[in-house]
């Protein structure tokens, strides 16, 4: 009898040990679950053609959509693709069309030959959306671009939509979705953090909210996104009738004392850090890297940027809140570890 009891005890210990060795802790299981769900996409800016495509080559296994940024508007309120944009779109299609969904992003920047360009032009949007005839004319123009360049998807990145045009903008998205669906072309929409997310958006398109620009040209030094900002943003987008992807920004800025603010890619920031022998620090409220230095003219500089660790912290933060679709602004000038991290993500 004693031998039998001893046998049972040993068997139970063996089973428990095997069970513990095969079953990871709850925290590890959750992390694995989040990683498996992550769906990464990226924008390619037309002004940084070569390095952006090179970055995608070096991280493509972790990417789903590739979004070519993009198409602007000319003096006739018609879509305009620069030579750089056309070249980038064609290269992207040639190299990645078989493995990735290639999307062309449309931006409401007004570009003319004889006047300064206007970024995120609200008056342009008013003209494009003001009535059914104007919207149909604009949709026809978009369909011409689709036919000409044979893109898989169209993305609308129209910012600073005036309150008076908001309902017309929603109508436009629905009408455009119906028109693109007939051609089996997908529709994607970028929304600003200030968008009124209680507005009902049409079903069909996929939506992305920008989770950056907390600090930049308009402000003093700081990270492009902070955890408190992300927390507030998630609360706002919970009001939406749609599931949204979250867009994070790579790179950062350099603030010069009594001077202009300069945008930096991750590689440029890392190079500056090495050249100045500055002390690399990480901000607890954002996960971003920052450092300061004084140049040869005794002028102070402060740099903030996102590296691989920053991006991973931001992604994990929103994943814990059940947001698993992430878009990165942008390719071009990404660090080696960042590219490796992107490439390691699953593409379910």
């Amino acid at each position: 009898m004693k031998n039998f009891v001893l046998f049972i005890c040993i068997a139970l210990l063996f089973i428990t040990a095997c069970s513990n060795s095969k079953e990871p802790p709850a925290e590890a299981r959750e992390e694995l679950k989040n990683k498996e769900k992550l769906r990464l996409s990226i924008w390619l800016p037309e002004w940084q053609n070569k390095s952006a495509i090179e970055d995608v080559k070096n991280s493509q296994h972790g990417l789903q959509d590739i979004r070519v940024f993009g198409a602007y508007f000319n003096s006739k309120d018609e879509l305009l693709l620069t030579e750089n944009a056309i070249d980038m779109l064609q290269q992207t299609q040639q190299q990645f069309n078989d493995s990735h969904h290639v999307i062309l992003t449309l931006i409401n920047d007004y570009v003319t030959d004889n006047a300064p360009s206007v970024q995120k032009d609200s008056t342009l949007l008013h003209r494009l959306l003001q009535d059914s005839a104007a919207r149909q004319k604009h949709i026809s123009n978009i369909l011409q671009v689709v036919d000409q360049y044979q893109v898989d998807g169209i993305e609308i990145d129209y910012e600073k939509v005036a309150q008076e045009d908001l309902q017309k903008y929603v109508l436009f998205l629905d009408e455009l979705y119906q028109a693109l669906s007939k051609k089996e072309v997908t529709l994607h929409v970028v929304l600003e953090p200030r968008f009124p997310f209680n507005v009902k958006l049409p079903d069909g398109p996929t939506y992305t909210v920008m989770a950056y620009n907390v600090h930049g040209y308009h402000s003093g030094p700081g990270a492009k996104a902070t955890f408190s900002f992300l927390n507030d943003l998630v609360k706002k987008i919970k009001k939406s009738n749609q599931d949204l992807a979250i867009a994070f920004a790579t790179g950062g800025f350099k603030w010069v004392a009594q001077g202009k603010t300069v945008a930096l890619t991750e590689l440029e920031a890392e190079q500056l850090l090495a050249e100045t022998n500055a002390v690399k620090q990480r901000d607890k409220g954002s996960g971003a890297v920052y450092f300061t230095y004084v140049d040869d003219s005794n002028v102070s500089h402060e740099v903030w940027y996102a590296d691989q660790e920053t991006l991973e912290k931001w992604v994990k933060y929103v994943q814990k809140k059940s947001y698993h679709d992430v878009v990165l602004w942008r390719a071009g000038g990404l660090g080696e570890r960042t590219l490796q991290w992107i490439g390691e993500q699953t593409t379910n």
Side-chain angles (χ1 to χ4, degrees):
M1 183 65 181
K2 288 182 179 179
N3 290 338
F4 177 76
V5 172
L6 182 62
F7 173 78
I8 293 297
C9 291
I10 293 172
L12 287 173
L13 285 171
F14 180 78
I15 292 169
T16 302
C18 289
S19 175
N20 288 339
S21 65
K22 292 182 179 178
E23 185 69 17
E27 185 178 339
R29 291 200 304 271
E30 183 63 25
E31 190 170 318
L32 180 62
K33 177 183 174 185
N34 287 340
K35 183 176 180 182
E36 288 174 347
K37 284 188 175 182
L38 181 60
R39 185 179 187 274
L40 273 182
S41 301
I42 200 164
W43 280 290
L44 283 72
E46 53 92 10
W47 60 86
Q48 207 160 4
N49 191 324
K50 185 177 179 180
S51 62
I53 289 179
E54 193 65 27
D55 278 355
V56 172
K57 281 183 183 178
N58 291 326
S59 62
Q60 60 180 301
H61 297 299
L63 293 170
Q64 297 270 347
D65 297 338
I66 298 176
R67 310 181 182 204
V68 177
F69 191 97
Y72 311 116
F73 288 86
N74 63 20
S75 58
K76 297 179 181 179
D77 291 354
E78 295 174 339
L79 288 166
L80 166 71
L81 273 76
T82 65
E83 290 184 9
N84 277 348
I86 294 171
D87 181 52
M88 173 169 281
L89 180 59
Q90 291 175 342
Q91 284 195 55
T92 303
Q93 289 173 319
Q94 290 168 5
Q95 297 183 49
F96 308 113
N97 227 20
D98 292 340
S99 55
H100 295 76
H101 196 69
V102 177
I103 299 165
L104 175 64
T105 303
L106 316 184
I107 309 104
N108 59 314
D109 287 4
Y110 191 64
V111 181
T112 59
D113 293 332
N114 301 318
S117 61
V118 181
Q119 294 186 340
K120 312 302 179 282
D121 190 357
S122 297
T123 58
L124 167 65
L125 292 183
H126 179 74
R127 295 194 298 271
L128 295 174
L129 306 174
Q130 60 186 314
D131 54 36
S132 178
R135 293 194 300 273
Q136 289 306 313
K137 181 180 179 181
H138 181 36
I139 289 171
S140 295
N141 186 204
I142 293 173
L143 295 179
Q144 289 172 358
V145 170
V146 167
D147 290 339
Q148 182 174 358
Y149 296 104
Q150 294 296 300
V151 293
D152 299 323
I154 287 290
E155 181 172 62
I156 300 298
D157 182 11
Y158 294 172
E159 300 176 27
K160 296 183 180 178
V161 180
Q163 181 64 37
E164 62 180 302
D165 295 322
L166 191 55
Q167 290 303 323
K168 297 169 186 175
Y169 172 69
V170 171
L171 276 174
F172 160 71
L173 294 178
D174 189 38
E175 292 163 353
L176 178 58
Y177 173 74
Q178 301 302 330
L180 290 174
S181 294
K182 295 176 182 177
K183 294 180 174 288
E184 297 184 342
V185 174
T186 58
L187 177 60
H188 311 259
V189 182
V190 178
L191 302 173
E192 297 175 86
R194 69 182 188 91
F195 187 84
F197 293 99
N198 58 326
V199 171
K200 187 176 181 180
L201 293 165
D203 295 333
T206 63
Y207 298 88
T208 301
V209 60
M210 299 160 53
Y212 48 91
N213 288 347
V214 175
H215 296 91
Y217 293 116
H218 62 285
S219 73
K224 287 188 176 183
T226 63
F227 297 127
S228 60
F229 162 75
L230 293 177
N231 189 58
D232 291 341
L233 181 62
V234 167
K235 288 179 182 177
K236 289 171 63 177
I237 65 179
K238 290 288 186 185
K239 300 175 184 177
S240 179
N241 67 310
Q242 300 292 339
D243 294 327
L244 281 78
I246 309 287
F248 293 119
T250 63
F253 290 94
K254 175 178 70 173
W255 284 266
V256 184
Q258 299 178 346
K260 66 179 182 178
T261 301
V262 181
L264 298 173
T265 65
E266 181 186 0
L267 283 180
E268 288 170 339
E270 293 281 358
Q271 183 177 358
L272 197 56
L273 177 64
E275 290 173 351
T276 59
N277 293 314
V279 178
K280 181 177 181 178
Q281 302 180 78
R282 193 170 300 277
D283 177 51
K284 291 182 179 179
S286 65
V289 176
Y290 68 97
F291 62 92
T292 60
Y293 68 95
V294 178
D295 64 19
D296 294 337
S297 301
N298 204 34
V299 176
S300 298
H301 301 248
E302 186 165 347
V303 177
W304 287 70
Y305 70 98
D307 63 1
Q308 175 269 328
E309 186 174 335
T310 311
L311 294 174
E312 192 167 5
K313 285 179 182 291
W314 288 343
V315 167
K316 285 182 177 179
Y317 188 86
V318 297
Q319 279 193 293
K320 288 179 181 178
K321 298 179 183 294
S322 301
Y323 290 90
H324 301 284
D325 283 8
V326 170
V327 189
L328 296 177
W329 172 261
R330 58 181 174 81
L334 297 178
E336 184 177 343
R337 287 183 62 191
T338 298
L339 293 172
Q340 181 180 349
W341 172 73
I342 295 172
E344 288 172 351
Q345 305 311 308
T346 56
T347 53
N348 294 333

